[in-house]
Tab-separated table of all heavy atoms in Angstrom:
chain	number	residue	atom	x	y	z
Z	1	MET	N	-1.925	-19.058	-9.925
Z	1	MET	CA	-1.583	-17.663	-9.915
Z	1	MET	C	-1.608	-17.152	-8.481
Z	1	MET	O	-2.417	-17.578	-7.689
Z	1	MET	CB	-2.577	-16.868	-10.743
Z	1	MET	CG	-2.721	-17.324	-12.156
Z	1	MET	SD	-2.632	-15.950	-13.172
Z	1	MET	CE	-1.316	-15.904	-14.147
Z	2	GLY	N	-0.741	-16.219	-8.181
Z	2	GLY	CA	-0.709	-15.637	-6.853
Z	2	GLY	C	-1.502	-14.348	-6.805
Z	2	GLY	O	-2.041	-13.888	-7.797
Z	3	GLU	N	-1.570	-13.798	-5.615
Z	3	GLU	CA	-2.274	-12.527	-5.487
Z	3	GLU	C	-1.299	-11.379	-5.701
Z	3	GLU	O	-0.095	-11.544	-5.556
Z	3	GLU	CB	-2.959	-12.427	-4.127
Z	3	GLU	CG	-2.041	-12.050	-2.998
Z	3	GLU	CD	-2.776	-11.877	-1.687
Z	3	GLU	OE1	-3.680	-12.664	-1.409
Z	3	GLU	OE2	-2.420	-10.958	-0.948
Z	4	PHE	N	-1.835	-10.236	-6.057
Z	4	PHE	CA	-1.001	-9.057	-6.254
Z	4	PHE	C	-0.400	-8.623	-4.930
Z	4	PHE	O	-0.985	-8.823	-3.873
Z	4	PHE	CB	-1.830	-7.913	-6.837
Z	4	PHE	CG	-2.292	-8.162	-8.240
Z	4	PHE	CD1	-3.623	-8.404	-8.510
Z	4	PHE	CD2	-1.392	-8.166	-9.285
Z	4	PHE	CE1	-4.051	-8.638	-9.800
Z	4	PHE	CE2	-1.818	-8.399	-10.588
Z	4	PHE	CZ	-3.152	-8.639	-10.845
Z	5	THR	N	0.776	-8.015	-4.975
Z	5	THR	CA	1.428	-7.558	-3.747
Z	5	THR	C	1.573	-6.048	-3.695
Z	5	THR	O	1.872	-5.501	-2.646
Z	5	THR	CB	2.828	-8.192	-3.603
Z	5	THR	OG1	3.595	-7.885	-4.762
Z	5	THR	CG2	2.735	-9.694	-3.441
Z	6	ILE	N	1.385	-5.372	-4.827
Z	6	ILE	CA	1.476	-3.917	-4.889
Z	6	ILE	C	0.128	-3.392	-5.369
Z	6	ILE	O	-0.419	-3.887	-6.352
Z	6	ILE	CB	2.597	-3.466	-5.849
Z	6	ILE	CG1	3.937	-3.998	-5.344
Z	6	ILE	CG2	2.628	-1.954	-5.968
Z	6	ILE	CD1	5.103	-3.716	-6.260
Z	7	PHE	N	-0.393	-2.376	-4.669
Z	7	PHE	CA	-1.730	-1.880	-4.961
Z	7	PHE	C	-1.711	-0.379	-5.196
Z	7	PHE	O	-0.902	0.347	-4.620
Z	7	PHE	CB	-2.667	-2.189	-3.789
Z	7	PHE	CG	-2.648	-3.635	-3.399
Z	7	PHE	CD1	-1.846	-4.067	-2.350
Z	7	PHE	CD2	-3.386	-4.568	-4.091
Z	7	PHE	CE1	-1.803	-5.402	-1.987
Z	7	PHE	CE2	-3.347	-5.910	-3.742
Z	7	PHE	CZ	-2.554	-6.329	-2.687
Z	8	ASN	N	-2.629	0.084	-6.041
Z	8	ASN	CA	-2.796	1.504	-6.326
Z	8	ASN	C	-3.966	2.044	-5.516
Z	8	ASN	O	-4.811	1.276	-5.043
Z	8	ASN	CB	-3.087	1.720	-7.810
Z	8	ASN	CG	-1.922	1.318	-8.677
Z	8	ASN	OD1	-0.797	1.732	-8.451
Z	8	ASN	ND2	-2.185	0.479	-9.673
Z	9	GLU	N	-4.037	3.367	-5.411
Z	9	GLU	CA	-5.182	3.965	-4.747
Z	9	GLU	C	-6.443	3.574	-5.499
Z	9	GLU	O	-6.445	3.455	-6.721
Z	9	GLU	CB	-5.035	5.476	-4.670
Z	9	GLU	CG	-4.854	6.158	-6.004
Z	9	GLU	CD	-4.542	7.626	-5.875
Z	9	GLU	OE1	-3.557	7.981	-5.219
Z	9	GLU	OE2	-5.304	8.408	-6.462
Z	10	GLY	N	-7.502	3.287	-4.768
Z	10	GLY	CA	-8.762	2.882	-5.384
Z	10	GLY	C	-8.909	1.391	-5.584
Z	10	GLY	O	-10.023	0.911	-5.772
Z	11	ASP	N	-7.804	0.624	-5.551
Z	11	ASP	CA	-7.897	-0.838	-5.629
Z	11	ASP	C	-8.576	-1.357	-4.372
Z	11	ASP	O	-8.610	-0.691	-3.346
Z	11	ASP	CB	-6.504	-1.468	-5.729
Z	11	ASP	CG	-5.823	-1.239	-7.066
Z	11	ASP	OD1	-6.483	-0.768	-8.008
Z	11	ASP	OD2	-4.620	-1.533	-7.151
Z	12	ARG	N	-9.080	-2.568	-4.451
Z	12	ARG	CA	-9.713	-3.192	-3.279
Z	12	ARG	C	-8.709	-4.097	-2.569
Z	12	ARG	O	-7.933	-4.796	-3.212
Z	12	ARG	CB	-10.936	-3.993	-3.694
Z	12	ARG	CG	-12.053	-3.115	-4.229
Z	12	ARG	CD	-13.329	-3.907	-4.420
Z	12	ARG	NE	-14.374	-3.089	-4.971
Z	12	ARG	CZ	-15.240	-2.386	-4.236
Z	12	ARG	NH1	-15.155	-2.400	-2.927
Z	12	ARG	NH2	-16.173	-1.671	-4.807
Z	13	ALA	N	-8.758	-4.083	-1.236
Z	13	ALA	CA	-7.857	-4.919	-0.434
Z	13	ALA	C	-8.248	-6.388	-0.608
Z	13	ALA	O	-9.422	-6.735	-0.471
Z	13	ALA	CB	-7.937	-4.519	1.028
Z	14	PRO	N	-7.277	-7.257	-0.894
Z	14	PRO	CA	-7.588	-8.672	-1.089
Z	14	PRO	C	-7.856	-9.407	0.223
Z	14	PRO	O	-8.545	-10.420	0.237
Z	14	PRO	CB	-6.343	-9.226	-1.773
Z	14	PRO	CG	-5.251	-8.331	-1.316
Z	14	PRO	CD	-5.877	-6.975	-1.147
Z	15	ASN	N	-7.296	-8.894	1.324
Z	15	ASN	CA	-7.440	-9.536	2.634
Z	15	ASN	C	-7.448	-8.470	3.721
Z	15	ASN	O	-6.985	-7.350	3.508
Z	15	ASN	CB	-6.269	-10.490	2.904
Z	15	ASN	CG	-6.275	-11.661	1.963
Z	15	ASN	OD1	-7.254	-12.366	1.837
Z	15	ASN	ND2	-5.162	-11.856	1.253
Z	16	ASP	N	-7.931	-8.857	4.907
Z	16	ASP	CA	-7.824	-7.975	6.062
Z	16	ASP	C	-6.350	-7.772	6.377
Z	16	ASP	O	-5.545	-8.687	6.211
Z	16	ASP	CB	-8.492	-8.600	7.296
Z	16	ASP	CG	-10.000	-8.770	7.123
Z	16	ASP	OD1	-10.554	-8.233	6.145
Z	16	ASP	OD2	-10.609	-9.423	7.981
Z	17	GLY	N	-5.991	-6.586	6.836
Z	17	GLY	CA	-4.606	-6.368	7.220
Z	17	GLY	C	-4.238	-4.905	7.264
Z	17	GLY	O	-5.039	-4.024	6.973
Z	18	THR	N	-3.006	-4.663	7.632
Z	18	THR	CA	-2.456	-3.316	7.674
Z	18	THR	C	-1.568	-3.141	6.452
Z	18	THR	O	-0.725	-3.983	6.163
Z	18	THR	CB	-1.639	-3.099	8.961
Z	18	THR	OG1	-2.486	-3.340	10.083
Z	18	THR	CG2	-1.114	-1.675	9.034
Z	19	TYR	N	-1.768	-2.051	5.763
Z	19	TYR	CA	-1.032	-1.755	4.537
Z	19	TYR	C	-0.264	-0.453	4.726
Z	19	TYR	O	-0.692	0.434	5.458
Z	19	TYR	CB	-1.992	-1.639	3.347
Z	19	TYR	CG	-2.691	-2.954	3.042
Z	19	TYR	CD1	-3.850	-3.322	3.711
Z	19	TYR	CD2	-2.172	-3.824	2.105
Z	19	TYR	CE1	-4.484	-4.528	3.454
Z	19	TYR	CE2	-2.792	-5.034	1.827
Z	19	TYR	CZ	-3.941	-5.379	2.511
Z	19	TYR	OH	-4.560	-6.586	2.248
Z	20	ILE	N	0.884	-0.346	4.058
Z	20	ILE	CA	1.765	0.798	4.220
Z	20	ILE	C	2.192	1.301	2.840
Z	20	ILE	O	2.276	0.533	1.892
Z	20	ILE	CB	2.997	0.410	5.078
Z	20	ILE	CG1	3.824	1.614	5.460
Z	20	ILE	CG2	3.839	-0.633	4.381
Z	20	ILE	CD1	4.883	1.319	6.524
Z	21	GLU	N	2.450	2.602	2.763
Z	21	GLU	CA	2.918	3.180	1.503
Z	21	GLU	C	4.370	2.798	1.247
Z	21	GLU	O	5.172	2.728	2.166
Z	21	GLU	CB	2.870	4.712	1.565
Z	21	GLU	CG	1.557	5.310	1.262
Z	21	GLU	CD	1.648	6.810	1.161
Z	21	GLU	OE1	2.364	7.448	1.952
Z	21	GLU	OE2	0.991	7.353	0.276
Z	22	THR	N	4.681	2.580	0.004
Z	22	THR	CA	6.050	2.353	-0.419
Z	22	THR	C	6.279	3.195	-1.661
Z	22	THR	O	5.325	3.604	-2.318
Z	22	THR	CB	6.327	0.863	-0.688
Z	22	THR	OG1	7.710	0.681	-0.919
Z	22	THR	CG2	5.547	0.350	-1.870
Z	23	GLY	N	7.530	3.468	-1.968
Z	23	GLY	CA	7.819	4.323	-3.112
Z	23	GLY	C	8.931	3.783	-3.975
Z	23	GLY	O	9.512	2.732	-3.698
Z	24	VAL	N	9.248	4.520	-5.003
Z	24	VAL	CA	10.266	4.118	-5.967
Z	24	VAL	C	11.617	3.929	-5.288
Z	24	VAL	O	12.306	2.951	-5.516
Z	24	VAL	CB	10.370	5.179	-7.087
Z	24	VAL	CG1	11.504	4.838	-8.037
Z	24	VAL	CG2	9.069	5.280	-7.838
Z	25	ASN	N	12.016	4.841	-4.440
Z	25	ASN	CA	13.331	4.783	-3.802
Z	25	ASN	C	13.282	4.249	-2.372
Z	25	ASN	O	14.239	4.394	-1.632
Z	25	ASN	CB	13.970	6.172	-3.789
Z	25	ASN	CG	14.273	6.659	-5.186
Z	25	ASN	OD1	14.642	5.875	-6.040
Z	25	ASN	ND2	14.108	7.944	-5.414
Z	26	SER	N	12.191	3.632	-1.975
Z	26	SER	CA	12.047	3.218	-0.580
Z	26	SER	C	13.073	2.164	-0.164
Z	26	SER	O	13.435	2.076	0.994
Z	26	SER	CB	10.643	2.693	-0.321
Z	26	SER	OG	10.409	1.514	-1.048
Z	27	TYR	N	13.553	1.356	-1.111
Z	27	TYR	CA	14.505	0.311	-0.759
Z	27	TYR	C	15.888	0.896	-0.462
Z	27	TYR	O	16.661	0.331	0.281
Z	27	TYR	CB	14.603	-0.721	-1.885
Z	27	TYR	CG	13.283	-1.370	-2.165
Z	27	TYR	CD1	12.573	-1.080	-3.324
Z	27	TYR	CD2	12.716	-2.253	-1.249
Z	27	TYR	CE1	11.336	-1.672	-3.569
Z	27	TYR	CE2	11.488	-2.845	-1.493
Z	27	TYR	CZ	10.808	-2.547	-2.652
Z	27	TYR	OH	9.587	-3.118	-2.884
Z	28	HIS	N	16.197	2.043	-1.050
Z	28	HIS	CA	17.509	2.650	-0.881
Z	28	HIS	C	17.521	3.703	0.228
Z	28	HIS	O	18.429	3.747	1.030
Z	28	HIS	CB	17.973	3.311	-2.187
Z	28	HIS	CG	17.963	2.371	-3.344
Z	28	HIS	ND1	18.833	1.317	-3.453
Z	28	HIS	CD2	17.165	2.300	-4.427
Z	28	HIS	CE1	18.571	0.642	-4.557
Z	28	HIS	NE2	17.566	1.221	-5.167
Z	29	MET	N	16.502	4.547	0.244
Z	29	MET	CA	16.512	5.683	1.159
Z	29	MET	C	15.416	5.622	2.211
Z	29	MET	O	15.458	6.356	3.182
Z	29	MET	CB	16.359	6.981	0.352
Z	29	MET	CG	17.495	7.161	-0.631
Z	29	MET	SD	17.360	8.505	-1.827
Z	29	MET	CE	16.022	9.480	-1.349
Z	30	GLY	N	14.428	4.801	2.034
Z	30	GLY	CA	13.321	4.748	2.964
Z	30	GLY	C	12.355	5.901	2.730
Z	30	GLY	O	12.637	6.830	2.003
Z	31	ILE	N	11.203	5.815	3.358
Z	31	ILE	CA	10.203	6.872	3.273
Z	31	ILE	C	10.005	7.407	4.679
Z	31	ILE	O	9.813	6.638	5.618
Z	31	ILE	CB	8.868	6.331	2.736
Z	31	ILE	CG1	9.012	5.898	1.295
Z	31	ILE	CG2	7.777	7.379	2.859
Z	31	ILE	CD1	7.756	5.296	0.714
Z	32	GLN	N	10.040	8.714	4.813
Z	32	GLN	CA	9.800	9.312	6.112
Z	32	GLN	C	8.296	9.437	6.322
Z	32	GLN	O	7.586	9.935	5.459
Z	32	GLN	CB	10.460	10.680	6.203
Z	32	GLN	CG	11.962	10.612	6.168
Z	32	GLN	CD	12.597	11.993	6.278
Z	32	GLN	OE1	11.922	12.988	6.386
Z	32	GLN	NE2	13.910	12.012	6.235
Z	33	ASN	N	7.826	8.981	7.462
Z	33	ASN	CA	6.413	9.049	7.846
Z	33	ASN	C	5.470	8.473	6.790
Z	33	ASN	O	4.585	9.167	6.299
Z	33	ASN	CB	6.017	10.498	8.160
Z	33	ASN	CG	6.864	11.088	9.250
Z	33	ASN	OD1	7.191	10.428	10.228
Z	33	ASN	ND2	7.249	12.333	9.083
Z	34	PRO	N	5.622	7.201	6.414
Z	34	PRO	CA	4.700	6.624	5.424
Z	34	PRO	C	3.307	6.464	6.027
Z	34	PRO	O	3.153	6.249	7.235
Z	34	PRO	CB	5.320	5.261	5.118
Z	34	PRO	CG	6.070	4.909	6.352
Z	34	PRO	CD	6.574	6.216	6.903
Z	35	LYS	N	2.292	6.583	5.199
Z	35	LYS	CA	0.914	6.369	5.643
Z	35	LYS	C	0.715	4.886	5.918
Z	35	LYS	O	1.232	4.039	5.187
Z	35	LYS	CB	-0.057	6.744	4.526
Z	35	LYS	CG	-0.658	8.090	4.583
Z	35	LYS	CD	-1.802	8.097	3.559
Z	35	LYS	CE	-2.236	9.476	3.195
Z	35	LYS	NZ	-3.298	9.457	2.188
Z	36	LYS	N	-0.048	4.571	6.958
Z	36	LYS	CA	-0.432	3.195	7.273
Z	36	LYS	C	-1.942	3.166	7.413
Z	36	LYS	O	-2.526	4.064	8.013
Z	36	LYS	CB	0.197	2.732	8.584
Z	36	LYS	CG	1.703	2.656	8.549
Z	36	LYS	CD	2.247	2.227	9.885
Z	36	LYS	CE	3.763	2.312	9.893
Z	36	LYS	NZ	4.309	2.003	11.214
Z	37	VAL	N	-2.567	2.152	6.846
Z	37	VAL	CA	-4.018	2.004	6.961
Z	37	VAL	C	-4.353	0.562	7.297
Z	37	VAL	O	-3.660	-0.366	6.892
Z	37	VAL	CB	-4.762	2.415	5.673
Z	37	VAL	CG1	-4.627	3.888	5.402
Z	37	VAL	CG2	-4.312	1.624	4.479
Z	38	SER	N	-5.403	0.390	8.058
Z	38	SER	CA	-5.907	-0.937	8.380
Z	38	SER	C	-7.204	-1.119	7.588
Z	38	SER	O	-8.140	-0.336	7.736
Z	38	SER	CB	-6.170	-1.038	9.883
Z	38	SER	OG	-6.615	-2.324	10.210
Z	39	LEU	N	-7.224	-2.128	6.714
Z	39	LEU	CA	-8.372	-2.346	5.841
Z	39	LEU	C	-8.930	-3.751	6.015
Z	39	LEU	O	-8.215	-4.675	6.387
Z	39	LEU	CB	-7.967	-2.171	4.374
Z	39	LEU	CG	-7.454	-0.801	3.951
Z	39	LEU	CD1	-6.944	-0.858	2.513
Z	39	LEU	CD2	-8.520	0.248	4.093
Z	40	HIS	N	-10.215	-3.873	5.746
Z	40	HIS	CA	-10.863	-5.177	5.702
Z	40	HIS	C	-10.972	-5.597	4.242
Z	40	HIS	O	-10.934	-4.760	3.341
Z	40	HIS	CB	-12.259	-5.109	6.330
Z	40	HIS	CG	-12.223	-4.814	7.798
Z	40	HIS	ND1	-11.825	-5.739	8.730
Z	40	HIS	CD2	-12.505	-3.683	8.481
Z	40	HIS	CE1	-11.882	-5.194	9.929
Z	40	HIS	NE2	-12.292	-3.940	9.806
Z	41	LYS	N	-11.114	-6.869	4.019
Z	41	LYS	CA	-11.226	-7.402	2.660
Z	41	LYS	C	-12.323	-6.660	1.893
Z	41	LYS	O	-13.436	-6.499	2.392
Z	41	LYS	CB	-11.544	-8.899	2.715
Z	41	LYS	CG	-11.618	-9.547	1.359
Z	41	LYS	CD	-11.868	-11.025	1.487
Z	41	LYS	CE	-11.937	-11.651	0.107
Z	41	LYS	NZ	-12.093	-13.096	0.191
Z	42	GLY	N	-11.976	-6.173	0.699
Z	42	GLY	CA	-12.948	-5.501	-0.152
Z	42	GLY	C	-12.976	-3.986	-0.023
Z	42	GLY	O	-13.537	-3.313	-0.879
Z	43	GLU	N	-12.375	-3.433	1.040
Z	43	GLU	CA	-12.341	-1.980	1.177
Z	43	GLU	C	-11.341	-1.394	0.182
Z	43	GLU	O	-10.369	-2.041	-0.185
Z	43	GLU	CB	-11.942	-1.568	2.602
Z	43	GLU	CG	-13.003	-1.838	3.624
Z	43	GLU	CD	-12.628	-1.312	5.001
Z	43	GLU	OE1	-11.446	-1.448	5.397
Z	43	GLU	OE2	-13.504	-0.763	5.659
Z	44	ARG	N	-11.583	-0.169	-0.225
Z	44	ARG	CA	-10.706	0.484	-1.198
Z	44	ARG	C	-9.540	1.184	-0.509
Z	44	ARG	O	-9.677	1.693	0.600
Z	44	ARG	CB	-11.481	1.502	-2.022
Z	44	ARG	CG	-12.488	0.845	-2.937
Z	44	ARG	CD	-12.961	1.799	-4.005
Z	44	ARG	NE	-13.944	1.184	-4.863
Z	44	ARG	CZ	-13.656	0.509	-5.963
Z	44	ARG	NH1	-12.423	0.362	-6.337
Z	44	ARG	NH2	-14.609	-0.018	-6.701
Z	45	PHE	N	-8.396	1.193	-1.209
Z	45	PHE	CA	-7.220	1.892	-0.697
Z	45	PHE	C	-7.422	3.395	-0.839
Z	45	PHE	O	-7.936	3.859	-1.855
Z	45	PHE	CB	-5.965	1.466	-1.478
Z	45	PHE	CG	-5.506	0.084	-1.134
Z	45	PHE	CD1	-5.891	-0.998	-1.897
Z	45	PHE	CD2	-4.686	-0.136	-0.041
Z	45	PHE	CE1	-5.477	-2.278	-1.587
Z	45	PHE	CE2	-4.255	-1.416	0.281
Z	45	PHE	CZ	-4.657	-2.485	-0.489
Z	46	PRO	N	-7.006	4.171	0.164
Z	46	PRO	CA	-7.138	5.632	0.079
Z	46	PRO	C	-6.095	6.221	-0.871
Z	46	PRO	O	-5.211	5.519	-1.368
Z	46	PRO	CB	-6.879	6.086	1.520
Z	46	PRO	CG	-6.037	5.020	2.109
Z	46	PRO	CD	-6.454	3.737	1.436
Z	47	ASP	N	-6.191	7.528	-1.088
Z	47	ASP	CA	-5.228	8.231	-1.937
Z	47	ASP	C	-3.835	8.142	-1.345
Z	47	ASP	O	-3.670	8.126	-0.126
Z	47	ASP	CB	-5.608	9.701	-2.081
Z	47	ASP	CG	-6.894	9.888	-2.870
Z	47	ASP	OD1	-7.277	8.957	-3.599
Z	47	ASP	OD2	-7.491	10.964	-2.748
Z	48	ASN	N	-2.840	8.110	-2.228
Z	48	ASN	CA	-1.449	8.112	-1.789
Z	48	ASN	C	-0.987	9.538	-1.543
Z	48	ASN	O	-1.588	10.493	-2.024
Z	48	ASN	CB	-0.553	7.471	-2.851
Z	48	ASN	CG	-0.866	6.010	-3.048
Z	48	ASN	OD1	-1.544	5.643	-3.990
Z	48	ASN	ND2	-0.395	5.173	-2.159
Z	49	THR	N	0.126	9.675	-0.824
Z	49	THR	CA	0.696	10.981	-0.541
Z	49	THR	C	1.175	11.660	-1.815
Z	49	THR	O	1.039	12.861	-1.979
Z	49	THR	CB	1.867	10.838	0.453
Z	49	THR	OG1	1.386	10.148	1.611
Z	49	THR	CG2	2.393	12.185	0.867
Z	50	ASN	N	1.758	10.897	-2.746
Z	50	ASN	CA	2.128	11.446	-4.050
Z	50	ASN	C	1.970	10.373	-5.127
Z	50	ASN	O	1.741	9.205	-4.820
Z	50	ASN	CB	3.530	12.080	-4.045
Z	50	ASN	CG	4.646	11.073	-3.909
Z	50	ASN	OD1	4.613	10.000	-4.509
Z	50	ASN	ND2	5.651	11.393	-3.128
Z	51	HIS	N	2.122	10.761	-6.377
Z	51	HIS	CA	1.835	9.864	-7.502
Z	51	HIS	C	2.827	8.709	-7.651
Z	51	HIS	O	2.543	7.747	-8.356
Z	51	HIS	CB	1.784	10.671	-8.803
Z	51	HIS	CG	3.124	11.194	-9.231
Z	51	HIS	ND1	3.698	12.310	-8.667
Z	51	HIS	CD2	4.005	10.736	-10.140
Z	51	HIS	CE1	4.875	12.528	-9.238
Z	51	HIS	NE2	5.091	11.590	-10.140
Z	52	GLU	N	3.994	8.769	-7.007
Z	52	GLU	CA	4.983	7.699	-7.132
Z	52	GLU	C	4.811	6.598	-6.091
Z	52	GLU	O	5.534	5.622	-6.107
Z	52	GLU	CB	6.394	8.279	-7.016
Z	52	GLU	CG	6.760	9.199	-8.150
Z	52	GLU	CD	8.166	9.740	-8.022
Z	52	GLU	OE1	8.764	9.620	-6.923
Z	52	GLU	OE2	8.670	10.294	-9.004
Z	53	ARG	N	3.889	6.758	-5.185
Z	53	ARG	CA	3.726	5.791	-4.102
Z	53	ARG	C	2.692	4.739	-4.426
Z	53	ARG	O	1.756	4.948	-5.177
Z	53	ARG	CB	3.329	6.528	-2.818
Z	53	ARG	CG	4.356	7.582	-2.433
Z	53	ARG	CD	4.876	7.353	-1.067
Z	53	ARG	NE	5.930	8.292	-0.763
Z	53	ARG	CZ	5.925	9.059	0.313
Z	53	ARG	NH1	4.935	9.018	1.155
Z	53	ARG	NH2	6.942	9.851	0.550
Z	54	LYS	N	2.879	3.564	-3.817
Z	54	LYS	CA	1.958	2.418	-3.956
Z	54	LYS	C	1.689	1.883	-2.552
Z	54	LYS	O	2.330	2.262	-1.578
Z	54	LYS	CB	2.590	1.310	-4.810
Z	54	LYS	CG	3.060	1.740	-6.174
Z	54	LYS	CD	1.915	1.993	-7.090
Z	54	LYS	CE	2.462	2.335	-8.477
Z	54	LYS	NZ	1.423	2.771	-9.368
Z	55	TRP	N	0.772	0.967	-2.433
Z	55	TRP	CA	0.458	0.314	-1.162
Z	55	TRP	C	0.964	-1.117	-1.181
Z	55	TRP	O	0.861	-1.812	-2.187
Z	55	TRP	CB	-1.055	0.282	-0.939
Z	55	TRP	CG	-1.658	1.627	-0.714
Z	55	TRP	CD1	-2.359	2.350	-1.617
Z	55	TRP	CD2	-1.617	2.392	0.487
Z	55	TRP	NE1	-2.740	3.541	-1.057
Z	55	TRP	CE2	-2.313	3.584	0.232
Z	55	TRP	CE3	-1.058	2.198	1.736
Z	55	TRP	CZ2	-2.462	4.569	1.193
Z	55	TRP	CZ3	-1.212	3.184	2.694
Z	55	TRP	CH2	-1.906	4.352	2.433
Z	56	ILE	N	1.540	-1.570	-0.053
Z	56	ILE	CA	1.914	-2.972	0.124
Z	56	ILE	C	1.441	-3.415	1.500
Z	56	ILE	O	1.217	-2.587	2.386
Z	56	ILE	CB	3.434	-3.217	0.001
Z	56	ILE	CG1	4.216	-2.427	1.052
Z	56	ILE	CG2	3.934	-2.883	-1.390
Z	56	ILE	CD1	5.672	-2.838	1.159
Z	57	ARG	N	1.283	-4.713	1.682
Z	57	ARG	CA	0.872	-5.233	2.978
Z	57	ARG	C	2.077	-5.262	3.905
Z	57	ARG	O	3.166	-5.689	3.522
Z	57	ARG	CB	0.316	-6.631	2.830
Z	57	ARG	CG	-0.285	-7.135	4.109
Z	57	ARG	CD	-1.114	-8.340	3.879
Z	57	ARG	NE	-1.689	-8.726	5.157
Z	57	ARG	CZ	-2.513	-9.714	5.321
Z	57	ARG	NH1	-2.893	-10.413	4.280
Z	57	ARG	NH2	-2.979	-9.999	6.509
Z	58	MET	N	1.874	-4.794	5.144
Z	58	MET	CA	2.971	-4.798	6.125
Z	58	MET	C	3.271	-6.225	6.542
Z	58	MET	O	2.368	-7.028	6.742
Z	58	MET	CB	2.572	-3.996	7.375
Z	58	MET	CG	2.667	-2.517	7.196
Z	58	MET	SD	2.365	-1.626	8.734
Z	58	MET	CE	3.736	-2.147	9.724
Z	59	PRO	N	4.549	-6.539	6.694
Z	59	PRO	CA	4.900	-7.876	7.188
Z	59	PRO	C	4.422	-8.048	8.627
Z	59	PRO	O	4.351	-7.080	9.372
Z	59	PRO	CB	6.424	-7.906	7.123
Z	59	PRO	CG	6.872	-6.577	6.677
Z	59	PRO	CD	5.686	-5.722	6.410
Z	60	LYS	N	4.120	-9.277	8.982
Z	60	LYS	CA	3.604	-9.543	10.338
Z	60	LYS	C	4.698	-9.486	11.364
Z	60	LYS	O	5.805	-9.675	11.194
Z	60	LYS	CB	2.925	-10.894	10.389
Z	60	LYS	CG	1.677	-10.892	9.569
Z	60	LYS	CD	0.981	-12.228	9.651
Z	60	LYS	CE	-0.263	-12.186	8.810
Z	60	LYS	NZ	-1.004	-13.388	8.823
């Protein structure tokens, strides 16, 4: 089994890294000024800007 790639607020980070908000229409229109957070393994994700957003790990 693989690790999850999309996270909700309050979930714990599986690995150290920088995570960014993504949304329902982000692939088509993009998100203006998405939140970015740097988390260590086990830290919880902060609240999203709105209820349709999720967290994903930023590509290196």
Side-chain angles (χ1 to χ4, degrees):
M1 304 228 114
E3 80 176 40
F4 292 109
T5 56
I6 299 175
F7 307 97
N8 295 309
E9 57 187 57
D11 289 349
R12 294 189 182 270
N15 294 306
D16 295 350
T18 302
Y19 295 85
I20 189 169
E21 277 188 320
T22 188
V24 175
N25 295 324
S26 65
Y27 300 108
H28 305 291
M29 299 171 10
I31 293 177
Q32 293 181 0
N33 302 320
K35 263 192 197 178
K36 296 179 187 175
V37 294
S38 182
L39 298 173
H40 294 287
K41 183 177 180 176
E43 289 185 319
R44 292 196 181 271
F45 287 95
D47 292 340
N48 295 101
T49 305
N50 70 41
H51 70 281
E52 294 181 346
R53 302 237 175 127
K54 305 288 184 188
W55 292 103
I56 60 168
R57 188 166 182 177
M58 282 186 65
K60 293 182 180 181

